[in-house]
Amino acid sequence: MLSRRRFLTFSATGMLAATAGCRPQHLDLLLNLEGSTTSAELSLAEKAKLKRFKDLMLGYPVNMNTPPEDFFAWRRQLQDAGIGMFPYNNVGNPFQASPFPFNTHDFERELIRNFGKVYAFPPDDTWGFLSHSGTDSNMHGMYMGRTLLKARTGMIPKAYFTCEAHYSVQILRDLLGLETVFVDTLPDGAMDPADLESKLAANPDYPALVVATIGTTFKGAIDPLDQIRQKLENHPNYLHLDAALFGGYLPHTDRANEVLQQTADSSARYDSIAVSCHKFFGFTSPAGLFISRQSLFDEFNELFSRIHNPEYIHHVPGTITCSRDGVKPAEFYFYSTPSALTKQAEDAGNMLRNTTYLMEQMQRHLPPLQPIRANEASNTIYFRKPADNIVRKYSLATMHLNSEQGKQEYAHALVMPHVDRHIIDEFLTDLEHDLSSGS
């Protein structure tokens, strides 16, 4: 299996050889580059220096590994064919013929079918497209749910999600004009099915548009899909999964059932799913998978045609966005090939093993930081916020969370595929030094 190229610009002396209690040598350069300038003011030469620190990214869900050479070879083949060399546009439904010949709908259809298999969608009942981002995919899922439920019941649905859901869900709720019903969470940050049941009972006349999160943004919790579905059985509903990060790697683990669309008896477990391409996969620019059932999309698209039926593209597009990137689907197609899926399984295993290692080391050596991992399928560990220089060095995200001592500031670390034991050990060393110095 091809390995990803890593640490291309690190010096031969080894920039990761930080010893306990010593200030990492490359921290000075990083801080000097920050200085008083903004990233917009950095020269190309300074930006080139910054790429030396890409493997120190721990605070946000981005796979900073350089894609394998095969990906760039595939990109060159696409360029040789003209894709990306002049305007390509995937306007419309990729499963319908387009009057605009310069598109990559064929690649888009194939990658949706390939990932449809990964998420156990029925092979003959799968529809989707490559969106501009995970948020774009969530928007389509929520709009699709609102449209279907309103048509089926005559009532605009209420949106059900937790305060741990990604902030974009609240933006989309506002954009779609939906009233929100916030569902309480369990101690780990996952949606509480009992509270969902209670909230549904309190709103019997309104259909429920439920956004479940598979891997909450800060805590890495997994909403209990089957329990949520069970609570929805006697209530008109549409269930959309925001699986932006976890949806990339969970199919390759023993927790694959968290994102599979069908049960063993072929019952549907959810209606649509959103997965980000630039997070676990390491695709080099933002994009998102949106996948649903073809039959569900057909029902939606008939309703959509009453709003938007542009004769001049010869079909109802079924997507909110009109013009869509024609280059990204062809490039991301690479990640749906058998060799790429094999690599994703390898990355998923290494990533979760390294997360376990980080958690064990923090529990053993850094108990004052109170590290928490929501579940064994999570690559996220959150803990009491360390010193600002560590937050800056590793680009840690921080939030105020409730604790026994009241509101406390926490940070989290995400062990993405680029985060190996060397990076983890350097991070642990910095944290130990921070604690020992009383910062």
Side-chain angles (χ1 to χ4, degrees):
M1 186 63 211
L2 290 171
S3 61
R4 296 173 186 256
R5 297 177 300 167
R6 306 188 70 245
F7 305 115
L8 295 180
T9 58
F10 279 77
S11 66
T13 56
M15 299 183 70
L16 301 176
T19 57
C22 297
R23 181 182 177 88
Q25 293 179 353
H26 54 295
L27 181 57
D28 287 317
L29 177 57
L30 181 58
L31 295 178
N32 288 338
L33 277 175
E34 286 181 349
S36 59
T37 64
T38 66
S39 58
E41 295 172 327
L42 294 178
S43 68
L44 285 176
E46 288 169 328
K47 287 182 184 293
K49 291 178 181 178
L50 277 177
K51 74 178 181 179
R52 296 163 64 183
F53 309 112
K54 67 185 180 66
D55 291 320
L56 298 177
M57 173 72 75
L58 293 180
Y60 295 90
V62 182
N63 178 357
M64 299 298 286
N65 277 339
T66 300
E69 178 55 38
D70 276 9
F71 170 76
F72 294 102
W74 172 242
R75 181 184 272 178
R76 288 191 292 271
Q77 290 183 57
L78 294 174
Q79 290 177 345
D80 289 344
I83 297 172
M85 304 304 290
F86 53 88
Y88 265 68
N89 193 321
N90 275 20
V91 61
N93 181 348
F95 290 80
Q96 292 287 333
S98 171
F100 188 76
F102 301 104
N103 66 68
T104 60
H105 283 166
D106 48 351
F107 291 115
E108 191 169 21
R109 287 193 299 272
E110 193 64 20
L111 77 86
I112 292 299
R113 289 176 179 137
N114 289 345
F115 277 107
K117 294 176 186 175
V118 169
Y119 301 115
F121 278 79
D124 59 348
D125 194 15
T126 303
W127 184 87
F129 66 101
L130 196 79
S131 72
H132 296 297
S133 66
T135 297
D136 193 22
S137 295
N138 282 337
M139 177 170 64
H140 198 88
M142 292 177 69
Y143 179 63
M144 197 163 159
R146 189 192 75 164
T147 302
L148 290 171
L149 291 173
K150 182 181 177 183
R152 291 170 183 172
T153 69
M155 300 289 291
I156 295 177
K158 293 189 177 183
Y160 291 72
F161 52 89
T162 76
C163 62
E164 299 291 343
H166 192 265
Y167 65 88
S168 64
V169 176
Q170 296 192 43
I171 297 171
L172 297 172
R173 172 280 318 268
D174 185 58
L175 183 67
L176 294 170
L178 299 175
E179 183 179 339
T180 301
V181 179
F182 280 104
V183 183
D184 291 344
T185 57
L186 299 167
D188 67 353
M191 183 179 288
D192 183 350
D195 189 62
L196 173 63
E197 183 177 35
S198 175
K199 298 289 173 58
L200 290 168
N203 295 277
D205 298 328
Y206 293 89
L209 171 54
V210 180
V211 180
T213 306
I214 308 300
T216 60
T217 304
F218 195 80
K219 295 180 179 177
I222 296 174
D223 289 351
L225 179 58
D226 289 324
Q227 294 180 61
I228 291 170
R229 173 57 74 188
Q230 189 270 327
K231 301 301 182 185
L232 291 169
E233 280 182 358
N234 298 314
H235 200 104
N237 71 86
Y238 183 100
L239 179 54
H240 173 72
L241 294 196
D242 178 9
L245 168 61
F246 284 36
Y249 70 83
L250 283 180
H252 307 291
T253 72
D254 58 8
R255 297 284 292 271
N257 65 298
E258 306 287 0
V259 291
L260 299 186
Q261 203 275 333
Q262 294 188 102
T263 61
D265 64 359
S266 299
S267 299
R269 299 173 71 228
Y270 59 84
D271 296 304
S272 56
I273 187 171
V275 182
S276 295
C277 302
H278 50 287
K279 292 184 177 177
F280 170 74
F281 300 106
F283 189 49
T284 53
S285 59
L289 289 167
F290 176 81
I291 307 178
S292 184
R293 287 194 180 221
Q294 179 72 52
S295 53
L296 198 62
F297 169 76
D298 289 342
E299 180 187 354
F300 161 78
N301 207 38
E302 193 282 324
L303 299 165
F304 190 61
S305 69
R306 304 173 193 178
I307 301 168
H308 185 52
N309 192 354
E311 183 179 351
Y312 97 141
I313 66 167
H314 300 184
H315 70 275
V316 180
T319 58
I320 299 171
T321 45
C322 299
S323 290
R324 292 190 294 108
D325 197 321
V327 177
K328 286 180 182 178
E331 291 184 343
F332 193 70
Y333 169 80
F334 173 86
Y335 289 86
S336 75
T337 60
S339 62
L341 291 170
T342 299
K343 177 59 177 169
Q344 289 158 31
E346 178 185 324
D347 283 347
N350 289 335
M351 189 174 74
L352 293 182
R353 283 189 291 272
N354 285 336
T355 306
T356 298
Y357 171 75
L358 174 58
M359 183 64 183
E360 290 174 347
Q361 293 299 308
M362 291 187 74
Q363 287 176 322
R364 184 173 302 147
H365 301 293
L366 302 163
L369 293 182
Q370 302 170 2
I372 300 173
R373 184 185 186 187
N375 55 75
E376 292 182 356
S378 174
N379 70 330
T380 305
I381 296 171
Y382 61 101
F383 47 90
R384 293 288 295 274
K385 176 185 171 293
D388 288 343
N389 66 310
I390 295 177
V391 171
R392 288 195 302 271
K393 175 180 174 180
Y394 296 98
S395 302
L396 299 181
T398 61
M399 283 187 68
H400 284 89
L401 303 177
N402 290 319
S403 71
E404 294 178 357
Q405 295 78 37
K407 283 270 189 181
Q408 299 289 332
E409 197 167 12
Y410 281 75
H412 76 177
L414 293 98
V415 182
M416 298 298 289
H418 68 275
V419 181
D420 62 16
R421 295 290 175 95
H422 296 291
I423 296 294
I424 292 172
D425 287 341
E426 180 172 352
F427 181 54
L428 291 166
T429 296
D430 286 343
L431 292 174
E432 289 185 90
H433 179 64
D434 178 40
L435 282 181
S436 66
S437 65
S439 300

